[in-house]
């Protein structure tokens, strides 16, 4: 059993005047793969390090399983951690690096040998066991760090931006490797990243943090489909969601989002929540991928836009447009090219529009 | 291009002159230990009268000299040097580690005290030292004046400052994550020091040990004050002094004994050369 439970946890660094993490409440279920994501400096690493026991807890309670671990030293928490810069012991061979934790725990020699070779086999490190970390590539070092964590069979696996020092291609393959590792080990994973793709593809659930506060905690699909506020909407998804200012207007029993020169019809199922906003300004969010193909560009439900430039990616096109001086990115699943400064229409998937309150920045409806 | 070659030539000449200047006394010692007293006195820089036979004879008189007791002095020197160096490396490393990783006001103060003790010349403290040591000896219940433990204790004090100073610089360069990883892997603080920090400091420790070693092995003033001329456990440099009588100086024996005293250091230096260079180069780029 290795659920993790934060109860009103606060962290203030010595000498700081305000907490990095104020009053954190978070429940992580056993065997879940949780992603902590958020902008730089929002307290992701701090949160992870509190689980590891590398950072003290200023107030509140932290449970791993049923055990209160506030004052339990790292080595007794049954956790393993993979650091961003790997933190391999430079003077030890790969074998010794992986075996170190077991040696310290007085595991019998043949058992250590068995486990190290098992891990090395899974991670494809068998031919490197005698090398020193200095003689390894970044990806190999990363795998050694994973191996070192793996052999101990920890109840909780903590990873702090483990892939950020790797190149794009290696990152993709390590991503699936770590996901596979999670299925195989069947333990709780807590993974810190600020990479979009890692967050969306790897985790069971994602914690979106900002200034030490949890913005939303849910599955990738829920975060993508129904972000709870402007911040989450802008943070999850790439390219970023487009935000436009619009006024809600009622006409013939229907609601419309009115921009300066266009009018978008709002589907009925969104109307109930928007009724209090009739005559008021709201923020309209449209994801770049929520535009209809060329053939739908009729007079209704279209944005009128000026082309800034088109990014031709072969199978698809990213169009960078201006809608009333606001930058808008449109992703088209086809090849499409327009001269700069040309005015075009782009059709919006009306049922995929998101609305946010302008004052509170909370979502109104999706 | 021409500028460059002429500069290289000038640098080479300077280097050669410098080397000759530094090696000249050493050459003099070597040369004259092959000569008899009379030949040395008549002309110390000529090779006249130098022979291997004479060297062996000098050697024999030095090693078997009743007053000098070469092997005993050699043993004392070795004991003092080795134990001081080991303790300096271990305790110096520990002190540097704690000073470096504990960022409190006290650690800064202690570090400053270490540094400032390097500035004070030994000659200033050497006389009060005897009185202080008598008190320290009473306190720990161990004779400090005139004993080898006392001498070693003094070397820990005088060598500690530089050791801590140099090692602190290197420990700063060791990523803190290594220690965190070790803590998660199950290391106690002592375990972290001996299994992670100490091995990583090895090249620097070799360098520091060589520097301390040369000084402790060759030191004359401290053991002569603390042990005294007539101490049976006196170290080599002090023992060499016993050839200096009030009326005669047996130069042949003095120089041969000095040569013998130098040899262990030279041998160690040659053997450890690679490590010393490693340590120094690492210091340069890290
Ligand atoms: N040891 C420390 N002492 C004081 N402040 C700290 C310390 N460590 C981190 N902080 C501060 O706490 C805040 C959160 O840091 P944290 O490392 O948790 O951010 P993060 O979300 O991991 O960011 P990143 O994505 O850049 O790694 C930052 O503002 C940082 O400056
Ligand atoms: Mg971080």
């Amino acid at each position: 059993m290795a659920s993790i439970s934060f109860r009103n946890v606060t962290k203030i660094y010595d000498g700081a005047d305000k907490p990095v993490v104020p009053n954190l409440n978070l429940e992580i279920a056993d065997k879940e793969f949780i992603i902590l994501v958020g902008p730089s400096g929002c307290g992701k690493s701090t949160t992870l390090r509190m689980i590891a026991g590398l950072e003290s807890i200023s107030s509140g309670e932290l449970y791993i399983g049923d055990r209160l671990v506030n004052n339990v030293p790292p080595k007794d928490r049954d956790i393993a951690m993979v650091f961003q810069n790997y933190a391999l012991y430079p003077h030890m061979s790969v074998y010794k690096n992986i075996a170190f934790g077991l040696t310290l725990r007085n595991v019998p020699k043949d058992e250590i040998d068995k486990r190290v070779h098992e891990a090395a086999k899974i991670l494809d490190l068998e031919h490197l066991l005698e090398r020193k970390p200095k003689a390894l590539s970044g990806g190999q070092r990363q795998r050694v760090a994973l191996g070192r964590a793996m052999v101990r069979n920890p109840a909780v696996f903590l990873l702090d931006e483990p892939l950020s020092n790797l190149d794009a291609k290696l990152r993709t393959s390590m991503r699936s490797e770590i996901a596979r590792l999670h299925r195989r080990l069947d333990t709780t994973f807590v993974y810190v990243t600020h990479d979009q793709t890692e967050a969306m593809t790897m985790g069971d659930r994602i914690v979106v943090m900002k200034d030490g506060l949890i913005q939303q905690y849910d599955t990738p699909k829920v975060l993508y489909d129904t972000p709870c506020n402007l911040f989450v909407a802008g943070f999850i998804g790439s390219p970023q969601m487009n935000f436009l200012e619009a006024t809600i207007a009622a006409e013939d029993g229907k609601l419309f989002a009115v921009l300066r020169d266009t009018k978008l019809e709002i589907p009925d199922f969104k109307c109930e929540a928007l009724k209090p906003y009739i005559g008021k300004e709201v923020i309209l969010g449209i994801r770049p991928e929520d535009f209809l193909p060329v053939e739908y560009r009729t007079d209704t439900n279209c944005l009128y836009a000026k082309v800034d430039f088109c990014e031709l990616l072969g199978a698809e096109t990213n169009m960078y447009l201006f809608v009333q001086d606001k930058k808008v990115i449109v992703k088209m699943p086809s090849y499409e090219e327009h001269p700069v400064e040309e005015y075009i229409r782009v059709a919006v998937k009306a049922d995929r529009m998101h609305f946010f309150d302008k004052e509170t920045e909370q979502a109104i409806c999706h | 291009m021409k500028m460059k070659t002429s500069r290289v030539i000038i640098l080479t000449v300077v280097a050669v002159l410098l080397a000759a200047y530094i090696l000249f006394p050493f050459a003099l010692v070597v040369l004259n230990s092959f000569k008899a007293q009379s030949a040395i006195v008549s002309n110390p820089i000529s090779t006249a009268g130098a022979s291997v036979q004479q060297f062996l004879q000098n050697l024999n008189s030095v090693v078997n000299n009743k007053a000098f007791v070469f092997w005993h002095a050699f043993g004392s020197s070795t004991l003092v040097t080795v134990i001081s160096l080991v303790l300096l490396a271990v305790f110096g490393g520990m002190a540097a580690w704690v000073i470096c990783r504990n960022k409190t006001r006290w650690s800064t103060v202690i570090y400053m005290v270490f540094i400032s003790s390097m500035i004070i010349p030994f000659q200033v403290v050497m006389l009060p030292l005897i009185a202080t040591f008598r008190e320290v000896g009473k306190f720990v219940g161990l004779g400090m004046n005139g004993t080898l433990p006392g001498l070693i204790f003094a070397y820990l004090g005088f060598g500690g400052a530089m050791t801590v100073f140099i090692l602190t610089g290197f420990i700063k360069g060791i990523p803190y994550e290594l220690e965190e990883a070790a803590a998660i892997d199950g290391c106690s603080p002592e375990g972290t020091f001996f299994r992670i920090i100490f091995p990583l400091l090895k090249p620097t420790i070799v360098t520091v040990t060589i520097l301390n070693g040369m000084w402790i092995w060759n030191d004359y003033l401290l053991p002569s004050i603390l042990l005294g001329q007539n101490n049976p456990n006196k170290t080599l440099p002090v023992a060499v002094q016993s050839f200096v009588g009030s009326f005669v100086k047996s130069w042949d024996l003095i120089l041969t004994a000095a040569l013998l005293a130098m040899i262990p250091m030279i041998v160690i230096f040659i053997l450890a050369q690679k490590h010393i260079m490693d340590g120094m180069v690492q210091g340069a780029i890290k």
Side-chain angles (χ1 to χ4, degrees), chain A residues 39-46 49 84 160-161 192-194:
Chain A
S40 192
C42 72
K44 308 180 292 287
S45 299
T46 306
R49 291 165 57 82
Q84 178 171 0
D160 194 350
E161 308 202 25
V192 168
T193 181
H194 48 230

